Amino acid sequence: MTTPFDLSGKTALVTGANTGIGQAIAVALAQAGADVAVAGRTPPVETQAMVEAAGRRFVSISADFTSIEPIPRIMEEAVAGLGKLDILVNNAGIIRRADSIDFTEADWDEVMTVNVKSTFFLCQAFGRHIMGRNAKGKIINIASMLSFQGGIRVPSYTASKSGVAGITKLLACEWAGKGINVNAIAPGYVETNNTTALRADEKRNAEILARIPAGRWSVPADMAGPAVFLASDASDYVHGTILPVDGGWLAR
Ligand code: NAP
């Protein structure tokens, strides 16, 4: 039986999917029926096993997003391996923590390049691929609570994720009439490598936990359903939204 959430026959490219949120989303898309290509710098051994266990095709593409140089090759390898792309998930991202008074240019540039510059140019390459085929496409960018809030000691991360929200809305305005849905998921506080330092800080950990209405940190699998929704026909009239998946954090 098909549902509006069925991704059978669809193909997806997910960045940074060897672990964390990217892995959970890649596996969820596969379980919903999509074949999956992943692009990143660490071999996605576990993700490959999970996607193939779901009965889907898997393509692994080696890429480092500290430069946009790999993007044309990523598109070529993904299309060569899967035939076409219908869904793009821009998940790869990094964070650098230091007081703003001491923050370095290197920590500014690396975060901005991986989190927002690579995201934009992947969207551009994917947009050209979809429009060149006169097809429908779905883009899901991974934003953050810091697309809405200021945060502390993460200036380049806050700038980058506010930028991700901005380009998500801009691209939605340009492409909603061209068959491409551009949206973002803004995860709350998720237990991944990205938040190891935060969770190790007992005081910050307790402060964060105390203001999450759901009463727990998120796990990567919490992003699975929202990602399948935004990748599927069920979200065809959803454009330019930054969907918080945050246990109620922003409602506080
Ligand atoms: P994670 O476990 O650290 O995953 C980050 C992914 O990005 C990994 O696959 C990582 O690859 C990849 N990556 C980082 N730098 C890269 C580079 N230069 N080139 C290629 N790949 C690169 O963290 P996560 O929490 O799942 O993060 C996924 C996304 O969610 C990020 O955009 C993050 O900002 C966002 N997010 C996370 C949270 C949270 O609470 N965890 C909240 C809001 C938003 P390696 O394994 O090789 O480093």
Side-chain angles (χ1 to χ4, degrees), residues 16-21 40-42 63-66 91-94 114 142-144 157 161 187-190 192-195:
N18 56 298
T19 184
I21 292 169
R41 59 185 178 182
T42 301
D64 185 335
F65 293 114
T66 50
N91 167 79
I94 52 170
V114 174
I142 303 303
S144 164
Y157 189 79
K161 293 298 183 177
Y189 287 82
V190 193
T192 68
N193 299 336
N194 174 294
T195 52

Side-chain angles (χ1 to χ4, degrees), residues 96 100 102-113 155-156:
R96 295 284 180 267
S100 291
D102 299 321
F103 211 75
T104 65
E105 185 179 3
D107 281 348
W108 180 271
D109 287 345
E110 191 178 352
V111 170
M112 292 298 278
T113 303
S156 58

